[in-house]
Amino acid sequence: MIFNELSLTLHSDEIIALIGPSGCGKSTLLRMISGLESVDEGAIEFQNPEQSTVGYVFQKPILYPHLTVEGNAALGISEKLSKAERSQRIAHELQQVGLEGFAQRKPDSLSGGEAQRVTVVRALLNQPDVLLLDEPFSALDLPTRRKIAKDTRAFLKSKHTAAIHVTHDPEEASILADRVIEWSHLMPDVSDKE
């Protein structure tokens, strides 16, 4: 058992940050919400279960090296749009996160912060109801982490997207989230497994 008696409600358009030590189950919770891991007992409920979508941004940016920034971002966009419409939407979203003019660049030419912003854009182009952020800025230097947390908050708010952000950094959590929850307050009985 990773955790028990866990109860957490995420409201529409709300950003929650979970802070806790390594191995307490924060990432496992995100994987359960996303469906990457199954729930043995209890339930994860969505307001509209048939229509709800979840986006996931992992700790390390996952970008295909043979694709451009635009090609990587396009993986999160509906096939129903024309190529021109997709390019226009991607260009707009890249501009929103400070990556204007980056569409034709390859991942190996990006800094860690730029690559992670591309993964956030890709996740949000799919228009998820909930975005899960699993320590996506932890490998970045402190000033970059603070700036990207601020930019990501503004981007999520502009899209009216609810999010759960996992981090070890209380300041990053306070910059990004509407509500910061210490894991020990949320879940008093945790094992040391993740």
Side-chain angles (χ1 to χ4, degrees), residues 14-20 26 133 135-138 142 145-150 152-153 156-157 163-183:
E14 181 181 27
I15 304 170
I16 293 177
L18 298 178
I19 300 177
K26 303 180 307 296
L133 299 155
E135 299 188 65
F137 315 132
S138 62
L142 196 59
R145 208 159 63 220
R146 301 286 188 262
K147 178 173 185 348
I148 291 183
K150 184 178 177 183
T152 300
R153 175 181 172 78
L156 289 168
K157 289 299 183 181
I164 300 175
H165 175 61
V166 165
T167 182
H168 295 288
D169 183 347
E171 190 173 342
E172 177 187 310
S174 66
I175 291 169
L176 183 61
D178 301 313
R179 183 166 40 133
V180 178
I181 302 171
E182 288 188 40
W183 188 260

Side-chain angles (χ1 to χ4, degrees), residues 45-132:
E45 298 178 350
F46 290 90
Q47 191 169 6
N48 299 308
E50 299 301 318
Q51 300 172 353
S52 295
T53 56
V54 177
Y56 203 119
V57 178
F58 295 91
Q59 188 169 8
K60 293 182 181 176
I62 300 172
L63 298 174
Y64 290 97
H66 65 286
L67 296 177
T68 61
V69 165
E70 181 179 23
N72 273 285
L75 298 172
I77 204 165
S78 171
E79 298 269 333
K80 296 175 185 175
L81 298 175
S82 71
K83 187 174 180 179
E85 288 172 317
R86 291 195 323 208
S87 290
Q88 186 177 15
R89 278 194 59 197
I90 291 166
H92 174 73
E93 302 304 351
L94 290 174
Q95 180 182 12
Q96 295 289 94
V97 297
L99 295 179
E100 185 175 10
F102 280 61
Q104 298 310 310
R105 289 179 59 179
K106 291 288 183 84
D108 63 0
S109 72
L110 304 176
S111 70
E114 290 164 349
Q116 201 58 282
R117 281 185 251 179
V118 174
T119 64
V120 171
V121 165
R122 180 177 58 204
L124 288 175
L125 280 168
N126 196 35
Q127 300 179 316
D129 298 295
V130 179
L131 183 64
L132 306 176

